[in-house]
Amino acid sequence: MLSLHSEMFKTVTYFCLLPALILSTFGHASPVKTDYATVELLAENDAIVAGSTFDVAVHFELVEHWHIYWANPGASGVAPQLDWKLPEGFEAGSIQWPVPERIEMAGLINYGYENEATLIIPMTAPESLKSGTEITLAVDLFFLICKDLCLPGNAGLELTLPVADLAKPGANAALFEAARASQPEPSADWSVTGRVDGETLMLLVEGVNIPADLYFYAESEGVVDPSAEQ
C-alpha cells in the first residue's frame, strides 16, 4: 500500500534547501574536490571512434554519511543535473542510474547514494571525426549533498580523448562494469498491475522468487509519498 504524494508534502523538498552554502568550482579540470565530495568525468574506453556510441560517467566519491540523490530524490532533495558543453555533432543520452538506497533524514525517506555513485551517460560521436585528433567533452554539474544539512555544489568537469580507428577498454573499464551491475534489471518472472484507490496506490506483484522485503521505487518524483509505509 503506497500513499499518493500530497501538495503539502512537496513543500518539504524546498524547505530542506535553505541551510545551504554554494560550492563554486567551475573552470577546474577534473577531478573536482569539495569538502564532502570528489567528482570526476571518466571514459570507459581509451579513444573515440567516429560514428560510434560510447559511455562516459560522472563518478562521485562521498565523505562518510554524506549522500547525493537519485532521479527521484524522495521526500526532499534534488537529483544531479548535467549541462553538457559538447563539440559539434556529439549527442549525450540520458543518465543510467544505479539502484538507490533509502536514506532517512529528519524523519523523511529520501532516495540516493552514500559512499560513491557512478552515473553512466551514453555518448554518440559524429561520423566526421578524424583519427589522430583530440576531443574535449565538458559538463557543468549541479548536485546537492546532504547530511545534517544540504549543500548545493557546482563543478565544471572536462575529459579529453583521442580519436582513433579502434577503441579499447581504458583504465576505468572495471568501474563501468561495476556501475552497470548496480543498475536495476527487468524481471521476466514477475508481472505487476496497479490501481489507485482514493489516495492509495495498490500494486499486485505476481510471479516466482518474490522477496519478502520487496520495495517499490517510483521513478517519477511527486507520485507517491516515499515516507509512507509500504
Side-chain angles (χ1 to χ4, degrees):
M1 217 172 19
L2 305 173
S3 297
L4 297 183
H5 225 283
S6 68
E7 291 300 321
M8 179 183 70
F9 200 83
K10 290 179 184 178
T11 61
V12 177
T13 299
Y14 302 100
F15 179 78
C16 288
L17 302 183
L18 294 180
L21 299 175
I22 299 295
L23 304 176
S24 191
T25 54
F26 283 110
H28 286 59
S30 57
V32 172
K33 182 173 289 189
T34 72
D35 288 340
Y36 305 107
T38 300
V39 291
E40 189 171 5
L41 183 60
L42 303 173
E44 181 174 24
N45 296 332
D46 63 356
I48 300 173
V49 176
S52 69
T53 297
F54 61 100
D55 287 339
V56 300
V58 175
H59 179 68
F60 290 82
E61 293 186 3
L62 309 173
V63 171
E64 188 176 11
H65 302 309
W66 287 81
H67 64 268
I68 58 170
Y69 292 91
W70 184 46
N72 172 7
S76 64
V78 176
Q81 300 170 16
L82 305 177
D83 183 12
W84 289 99
K85 313 296 183 184
L86 300 175
E88 184 176 357
F90 279 80
E91 294 184 5
S94 300
I95 296 173
Q96 298 175 359
W97 299 91
V99 173
E101 307 169 44
R102 298 195 296 278
I103 302 169
E104 183 176 349
M105 186 175 179
L108 303 175
I109 298 299
N110 303 308
Y111 301 147
Y113 311 100
E114 294 183 329
N115 299 317
E116 67 175 339
T118 304
L119 311 182
I120 295 179
I121 304 97
M123 288 277 171
T124 302
E127 296 277 1
S128 57
L129 296 183
K130 296 187 181 302
S131 294
T133 60
E134 289 188 337
I135 293 294
T136 297
L137 310 176
V139 63
D140 291 343
L141 165 69
F142 171 82
F143 63 99
L144 192 69
I145 184 168
C146 298
K147 186 184 173 187
D148 300 320
L149 53 78
C150 292
L151 305 174
N154 297 295
L157 306 177
E158 290 188 351
L159 172 66
T160 299
L161 290 169
V163 179
D165 295 329
L166 179 67
K168 297 180 294 184
N172 298 303
L175 183 69
F176 280 75
E177 288 302 311
R180 291 191 187 96
S182 71
Q183 294 172 3
E185 298 179 1
S187 174
D189 299 328
W190 301 354
S191 65
V192 182
T193 56
R195 64 182 176 87
V196 176
D197 183 4
E199 292 191 354
T200 300
L201 174 62
M202 307 290 293
L203 296 179
L204 175 63
V205 182
E206 297 178 291
V208 296
N209 299 321
I210 300 175
D213 59 349
L214 187 68
Y215 185 90
F216 173 71
Y217 290 91
E219 185 176 16
S220 298
E221 183 179 359
V223 176
V224 299
D225 178 354
S227 300
E229 183 178 355
Q230 294 195 6

